[in-house]
Amino acid sequence: MKLLYYSPASYGGIADYAHEQANALVDLGVDVILLTTPKYQTGRGEKYQVIPILQEIALTQPLPHKVLKAVYSTTVILNNFTQLGNFIEENNFQYVVLGSYVEYFAPLWSGRLKRLVKKGVVFAAIVHDPVRDFVVGPHWWHRWSIACGYSFLSQAFVHDSINLDTVRPMPQLQTTVIPHGIYHFPDANKSRQQMRVSLDLPLDAKVMLAFGHIRDNKNLDLVIQAMVNFPDLYLVVAGKEQSSAQRPVAFYHELAKTLGVAQRCRWKIGFIADTEIGNFFAATDITILTYSSIFHSASGVLNTAINYRQPCLASSGESSLRSVIQKYDLGIWVEPDDVDAIVEGIKKILENPPNPQWERYFQENSWYLNANIVWNSFKVNA
């Protein structure tokens, strides 16, 4: 069977997920073609074919006006779904996976995919963010868009048991839970001591790591506030700024300075190459995943930390993140959006560290199991 995997994400957790899942599907005997952008990172052992014809939605230079940004985003999304429809028809694909469910402007592009369903095309989507609470445009448009985004799908794959809000009944849609596998990044190529020296960190200090995109809902400001209570605790922030809509790194710099903890913070802002990721985990002790209550997803950073067997301090709303941390004792869980809870969580993880069930997690959350469920769902529709 051949399968078309649509993934306009060039980098980050969604792109890493697509890579791992596509490789696992190939291992099961599926001929996978990944439709993506020219900036998609290759050369990391992909067993699937990459077709880089989609347009990158992230801007290299910010546009000066919100209207221009909206026009640009709309144009890119519509163009990419046009490319998807054309590629399906030109190459006679019957099975298609969307690497991430999306509803943005769906009333404008979903109609063609619904017509392809009538011709026998089967669509599935990985629903990384099951709670669609980011509103684009009027509320009625947002709700209509969510419904249209689900209207052509036969399968919605989620990482935790949830009743999806599809706005209106979707009798054709089946929701299936799949495990989130581990991100297999290279081992550290620097020793803990070498990396700590390069970051100007004391060799015997406890060090927290905030890794990945810098977003407001990760509550980095609360972590910095909590550091006031721990005069020997350090923080490394490694990753890119998410977008101009989020607080800039300068905000956190200033906050750390105001609170008197700036000398214990290290900032590596920008894209972190795969070969460097392991070094940051080698140099640190605790992964910070203090998401806000509006976070209801799995966490790619968690599945990176697990690869390096590093425990975490975490919070979020009801989510796969919360479920797996508590099930496998992967770290200390605290209530979201509460600096006092973070302080208590740090005390607990320093004084009474968890005993993570790493091997059990690896066995029960493999990419093989993930891909096998996806593959079997398509065979049912064969």
Side-chain angles (χ1 to χ4, degrees):
M1 187 183 82
K2 66 177 184 178
L3 183 145
L4 182 62
Y5 200 115
Y6 172 83
S7 183
S10 300
Y11 55 85
I14 301 299
D16 294 333
Y17 188 103
H19 167 73
E20 298 278 10
Q21 188 178 51
N23 267 355
L25 285 163
V26 173
D27 288 341
L28 292 174
V30 185
D31 181 13
V32 178
I33 291 85
L34 183 78
L35 214 59
T36 187
T37 77
K39 292 186 178 180
Y40 179 79
Q41 183 182 358
T42 57
R44 49 180 178 167
E46 56 272 5
K47 304 171 184 178
Y48 48 89
Q49 182 181 358
V50 176
I51 307 293
I53 62 172
L54 301 181
Q55 189 174 354
E56 174 69 47
I57 195 165
L59 288 162
T60 54
Q61 296 293 331
L63 292 172
H65 197 279
K66 289 184 178 180
V67 173
L68 293 177
K69 293 178 184 177
V71 171
Y72 175 81
S73 299
T74 306
T75 302
V76 170
I77 291 171
L78 294 181
N79 176 69
N80 283 346
F81 277 108
T82 297
Q83 293 277 32
L84 172 63
N86 291 344
F87 201 82
I88 292 169
E89 292 182 333
E90 292 167 4
N91 296 277
N92 298 313
F93 279 95
Q94 185 180 358
Y95 305 108
V96 182
V97 170
L98 305 187
S100 181
Y101 166 84
V102 61
E103 78 277 6
Y104 304 138
F105 312 111
L108 304 179
W109 53 258
S110 60
R112 184 179 184 185
L113 302 190
K114 289 167 71 174
R115 291 191 293 273
L116 287 172
V117 170
K118 292 180 180 179
K119 295 179 180 179
V121 180
V122 180
F123 288 94
I126 314 300
V127 187
H128 292 284
D129 299 307
V131 179
R132 314 302 294 183
D133 53 7
F134 181 74
V135 178
V136 176
H139 190 259
W140 63 267
W141 172 262
H142 173 66
R143 300 291 289 167
W144 184 24
S145 298
I146 291 174
C148 288
Y150 284 114
S151 64
F152 58 91
L153 297 176
S154 296
Q155 278 280 358
F157 296 109
V158 296
H159 297 115
D160 201 29
S161 182
I162 188 173
N163 292 319
L164 293 174
D165 178 11
T166 58
V167 179
R168 56 175 182 253
M170 300 286 170
Q172 88 292 348
L173 180 65
Q174 181 176 345
T175 303
T176 303
V177 178
I178 56 176
H180 193 310
I182 312 304
Y183 289 144
H184 298 107
F185 294 112
D187 292 337
N189 53 38
K190 293 181 181 178
S191 70
R192 180 180 178 90
Q193 180 175 344
Q194 288 174 321
M195 196 61 185
R196 287 209 168 188
V197 168
S198 70
L199 292 170
D200 190 26
L201 293 169
L203 298 182
D204 59 348
K206 288 293 183 180
V207 183
M208 302 183 294
L209 174 63
F211 186 81
H213 281 125
I214 298 168
R215 303 199 307 263
D216 295 355
N217 73 347
K218 290 187 175 182
N219 283 337
L220 184 57
D221 55 329
L222 301 187
V223 175
I224 292 171
Q225 291 176 48
M227 288 178 67
V228 173
N229 297 271
F230 303 93
D232 299 322
L233 185 64
Y234 285 71
L235 171 68
V236 174
V237 180
K240 294 184 67 174
E241 291 181 297
Q242 175 82 22
S243 71
S244 59
Q246 305 289 311
R247 290 168 174 165
V249 171
F251 167 83
Y252 301 104
H253 282 173
E254 187 60 31
L255 178 63
K257 183 178 178 181
T258 300
L259 294 174
V261 300
Q263 72 279 9
R264 293 187 280 121
C265 296
R266 305 292 181 267
W267 311 88
K268 294 295 178 181
I269 308 305
F271 175 75
I272 308 297
D274 287 3
T275 54
E276 292 294 320
I277 290 173
N279 295 331
F280 285 96
F281 284 90
T284 55
D285 304 289
I286 304 162
T287 298
I288 297 298
L289 298 169
T290 47
Y291 292 97
S292 72
S293 60
I294 65 171
F295 185 88
H296 299 280
S297 309
S299 169
V301 177
L302 172 67
N303 284 282
T304 303
I306 292 171
N307 179 60
Y308 298 109
R309 289 174 167 79
Q310 183 168 116
C312 64
L313 176 70
S315 64
S316 75
E318 290 297 323
S319 63
S320 169
L321 172 65
R322 178 170 187 166
S323 297
V324 297
I325 286 176
Q326 294 181 329
K327 180 177 181 180
Y328 299 97
D329 199 20
L330 302 176
I332 299 299
W333 182 265
V334 300
E335 289 302 310
D337 309 310
D338 186 338
V339 67
D340 292 332
I342 292 174
V343 169
E344 289 304 311
I346 292 174
K347 286 181 181 177
K348 188 172 182 180
I349 203 168
L350 293 176
E351 296 171 2
N352 187 25
N355 185 25
Q357 300 175 42
W358 302 124
E359 296 305 323
R360 181 186 170 204
Y361 187 91
F362 296 151
Q363 292 173 6
E364 296 178 2
N365 296 272
S366 69
W367 290 110
Y368 168 80
L369 292 174
N370 173 300
N372 198 50
I373 296 171
V374 172
W375 162 244
N376 284 332
S377 76
F378 279 111
K379 288 198 291 187
V380 168
N381 290 283

